[in-house]
Amino acid sequence: MLFETILRHGQHVRILDQTRLPLTWQSVTLTSLEEMAHAIRSMQVRGAPLIGASAAYGVALAMQADASDAGLTHALETLAATRPTAVNLHWALARMQTLLAPLAPAERSAAAWAEADQIRIEDIAANQAIGQHGLSILKSTLLESRTQRPLQSMTHCNAGALATCGWGTALAPVYAALQAGIAQHVWVSETRPRNQGYLTAAELAANQVPHTLIADNAAGLLLQQGKVDIVITGADRIAANGDTANKVGTYLKALAAREAGVPFYIAAPWSTIDLACPNGAAIPIEERSAEELRLATGLLADGEIASVRCIDATEAVCNPAFDITPAALITGIITERGVFAPGELV
Ligand code: MRU
């Protein structure tokens, strides 16, 4: 089952509003640059590859309203300022700029829509290829595990269909294994504070993949107890030396996996690799609102988003949205071009 995370409808864009998932599946139509910038900033769309495609469509919406040089510059700057860590956003904007800047304003709107559509199509193809490369790794992991139980994988955050235009990145091998008839089970960590693990659980449920939701802090115990054969997560930016930024909590899983002797893989399209970034220390880490930690947020019965205060608004909070997993803890990086050792990217 695929989800229409983003789809062009003529001169508008329809997105699945991910702030209401997994309890309410509701699409929203976006008609302007400002609406797309808001959607990215507020995480109505999220996940590095989907953010990249969304930014490209944001430029297309902007070119429809004002295709002048000033309009193009404004669109690129507005979208670049929405979220800092996922490099796919900046990759997509650079691609749009390279295409559109040399064109006459009258040609820009049509060209921008076509390029955004192309980025979406390429993401779907990359997901498929990542799935096939990852499937080979899952098959050999299963052979090496020498147990009769279903293959036990663990993931973090949501790097599935909902984070992309297609099947996902970290979950693409899981879906490929499903199609190949491999018995499997996925450990899904909740991923506080935004709980993207709920999205992973929901999409695995929709695809009938056996899975279990765990608190983030349970991962170490499960790895220690030998209940996990392989960990696969997505990525938001991979530096030239293989250091990888992904949702906060990924690093702790990689440490526990190393201690337990469990392979730890990153799955991401090539557009997530930032060869201009030498190492993890150079990756900008998004610091999100303190209220994400002070409030518990969910949906009311009528589908409206509601928050409950759990701690005083004056409580000091540190809320980095991503962390860096050093290349030394990463077994391999699964891309649409094949599987690479972290040190092999350049
Ligand atoms: O903050 P988000 O939800 O946009 O986080 C990004 C992610 O979805 C994850 O970090 C994911 O593992 C990598 S993107 C497929």
Tab-separated table of all heavy atoms in Angstrom, residues 43 46-49 51 83 157-159 163 169 196 234-236 246-247 322, ligand 1:
chain	number	residue	atom	x	y	z
A	43	MET	N	5.793	20.574	9.654
A	43	MET	CA	5.875	19.117	9.513
A	43	MET	C	4.564	18.485	9.055
A	43	MET	O	4.302	17.330	9.366
A	43	MET	CB	6.423	18.469	10.793
A	43	MET	CG	7.864	18.872	11.048
A	43	MET	SD	8.547	18.376	12.632
A	43	MET	CE	8.537	16.607	12.501
A	46	ARG	N	7.062	15.784	5.927
A	46	ARG	CA	8.295	15.569	6.689
A	46	ARG	C	9.020	14.348	6.138
A	46	ARG	O	8.470	13.605	5.328
A	46	ARG	CB	7.971	15.411	8.182
A	46	ARG	CG	6.767	14.494	8.444
A	46	ARG	CD	6.878	13.768	9.696
A	46	ARG	NE	8.055	12.928	9.684
A	46	ARG	CZ	8.126	11.781	9.025
A	46	ARG	NH1	7.115	11.323	8.332
A	46	ARG	NH2	9.231	11.070	9.060
A	47	GLY	N	10.271	14.184	6.608
A	47	GLY	CA	11.100	13.114	6.052
A	47	GLY	C	11.929	13.721	4.921
A	47	GLY	O	11.378	14.410	4.048
A	48	ALA	N	13.229	13.474	4.962
A	48	ALA	CA	14.146	14.182	4.065
A	48	ALA	C	13.766	14.117	2.574
A	48	ALA	O	13.677	15.158	1.912
A	48	ALA	CB	15.571	13.672	4.297
A	49	PRO	N	13.508	12.921	2.013
A	49	PRO	CA	13.195	12.903	0.575
A	49	PRO	C	11.892	13.636	0.250
A	49	PRO	O	11.798	14.338	-0.769
A	49	PRO	CB	13.081	11.403	0.261
A	49	PRO	CG	13.898	10.734	1.332
A	49	PRO	CD	13.661	11.560	2.560
A	51	ILE	N	10.622	16.138	1.950
A	51	ILE	CA	10.879	17.573	2.103
A	51	ILE	C	11.530	18.115	0.822
A	51	ILE	O	11.208	19.213	0.359
A	51	ILE	CB	11.782	17.841	3.340
A	51	ILE	CG1	11.004	17.567	4.634
A	51	ILE	CG2	12.294	19.272	3.334
A	51	ILE	CD1	11.868	17.612	5.894
A	83	ARG	N	13.653	24.367	7.104
A	83	ARG	CA	14.253	23.373	8.004
A	83	ARG	C	15.727	23.195	7.624
A	83	ARG	O	16.053	23.116	6.441
A	83	ARG	CB	13.508	22.026	7.918
A	83	ARG	CG	12.062	22.135	8.440
A	83	ARG	CD	11.440	20.778	8.691
A	83	ARG	NE	12.036	20.109	9.832
A	83	ARG	CZ	11.769	18.843	10.150
A	83	ARG	NH1	10.947	18.116	9.408
A	83	ARG	NH2	12.327	18.290	11.211
A	157	CYS	N	12.384	6.310	14.061
A	157	CYS	CA	11.678	7.385	13.364
A	157	CYS	C	10.796	6.800	12.255
A	157	CYS	O	10.360	5.648	12.341
A	157	CYS	CB	12.672	8.410	12.811
A	157	CYS	SG	11.906	9.945	12.254
A	158	ASN	N	10.516	7.582	11.241
A	158	ASN	CA	9.780	7.060	10.083
A	158	ASN	C	10.596	7.342	8.840
A	158	ASN	O	10.790	8.502	8.459
A	158	ASN	CB	8.398	7.702	9.944
A	158	ASN	CG	7.726	7.263	8.646
A	158	ASN	OD1	7.750	7.994	7.660
A	158	ASN	ND2	7.187	6.064	8.619
A	159	ALA	N	11.111	6.300	8.261
A	159	ALA	CA	11.809	6.410	6.978
A	159	ALA	C	11.120	5.449	6.020
A	159	ALA	O	11.737	4.680	5.302
A	159	ALA	CB	13.288	6.098	7.138
A	163	ALA	N	7.692	9.206	4.508
A	163	ALA	CA	8.805	10.160	4.493
A	163	ALA	C	9.322	10.418	3.079
A	163	ALA	O	10.311	11.136	2.910
A	163	ALA	CB	9.942	9.636	5.371
A	169	THR	N	12.756	4.635	2.546
A	169	THR	CA	14.187	4.326	2.460
A	169	THR	C	14.509	3.157	3.398
A	169	THR	O	14.671	2.036	2.957
A	169	THR	CB	15.015	5.581	2.784
A	169	THR	OG1	14.584	6.117	4.044
A	169	THR	CG2	14.839	6.630	1.697
A	196	GLN	N	7.308	9.946	15.440
A	196	GLN	CA	7.223	9.457	14.058
A	196	GLN	C	7.154	7.932	14.004
A	196	GLN	O	6.774	7.366	12.988
A	196	GLN	CB	8.427	9.957	13.238
A	196	GLN	CG	8.406	11.434	12.919
A	196	GLN	CD	9.181	12.251	13.940
A	196	GLN	OE1	9.320	11.860	15.100
A	196	GLN	NE2	9.687	13.396	13.530
A	234	GLY	N	16.862	5.585	8.403
A	234	GLY	CA	17.056	6.512	7.292
A	234	GLY	C	18.138	7.515	7.637
A	234	GLY	O	18.914	7.313	8.588
A	235	ALA	N	18.201	8.596	6.866
A	235	ALA	CA	19.175	9.661	7.115
A	235	ALA	C	18.613	10.972	6.604
A	235	ALA	O	17.809	10.994	5.672
A	235	ALA	CB	20.492	9.360	6.412
A	236	ASP	N	19.047	12.042	7.241
A	236	ASP	CA	18.656	13.384	6.803
A	236	ASP	C	19.815	14.099	6.121
A	236	ASP	O	19.604	14.981	5.298
A	236	ASP	CB	18.150	14.171	8.004
A	236	ASP	CG	16.853	13.560	8.513
A	236	ASP	OD1	16.922	12.612	9.327
A	236	ASP	OD2	15.778	13.972	8.047
A	246	ASN	N	20.570	11.753	11.583
A	246	ASN	CA	19.223	11.187	11.491
A	246	ASN	C	18.473	11.579	12.769
A	246	ASN	O	19.049	12.188	13.682
A	246	ASN	CB	19.273	9.670	11.309
A	246	ASN	CG	17.918	9.106	10.902
A	246	ASN	OD1	17.313	9.584	9.936
A	246	ASN	ND2	17.405	8.127	11.620
A	247	LYS	N	17.211	11.225	12.823
A	247	LYS	CA	16.362	11.618	13.961
A	247	LYS	C	17.039	11.314	15.290
A	247	LYS	O	17.648	10.254	15.459
A	247	LYS	CB	15.028	10.871	13.849
A	247	LYS	CG	14.007	11.227	14.885
A	247	LYS	CD	13.709	12.713	14.956
A	247	LYS	CE	13.232	13.282	13.620
A	247	LYS	NZ	13.165	14.762	13.621
A	322	PHE	N	17.819	16.083	15.730
A	322	PHE	CA	18.638	15.070	15.052
A	322	PHE	C	19.894	14.812	15.874
A	322	PHE	O	20.253	15.619	16.728
A	322	PHE	CB	19.029	15.558	13.639
A	322	PHE	CG	17.820	15.842	12.784
A	322	PHE	CD1	17.292	17.121	12.708
A	322	PHE	CD2	17.172	14.829	12.102
A	322	PHE	CE1	16.147	17.383	11.961
A	322	PHE	CE2	16.027	15.075	11.353
A	322	PHE	CZ	15.518	16.357	11.282
B	1	MRU	O1	11.768	15.589	11.531
B	1	MRU	P1	11.343	14.667	10.455
B	1	MRU	O2	10.149	13.839	10.759
B	1	MRU	O3	11.262	15.334	9.106
B	1	MRU	O4	12.566	13.676	10.464
B	1	MRU	C1	13.167	13.195	9.395
B	1	MRU	C2	12.964	11.762	9.319
B	1	MRU	O5	11.939	11.336	8.840
B	1	MRU	C3	13.939	10.851	9.865
B	1	MRU	O6	15.028	11.368	10.500
B	1	MRU	C4	14.216	9.721	8.925
B	1	MRU	O7	14.783	8.714	9.646
B	1	MRU	C5	15.104	10.104	7.770
B	1	MRU	S1	14.226	10.804	6.438
B	1	MRU	C6	13.619	9.423	5.560
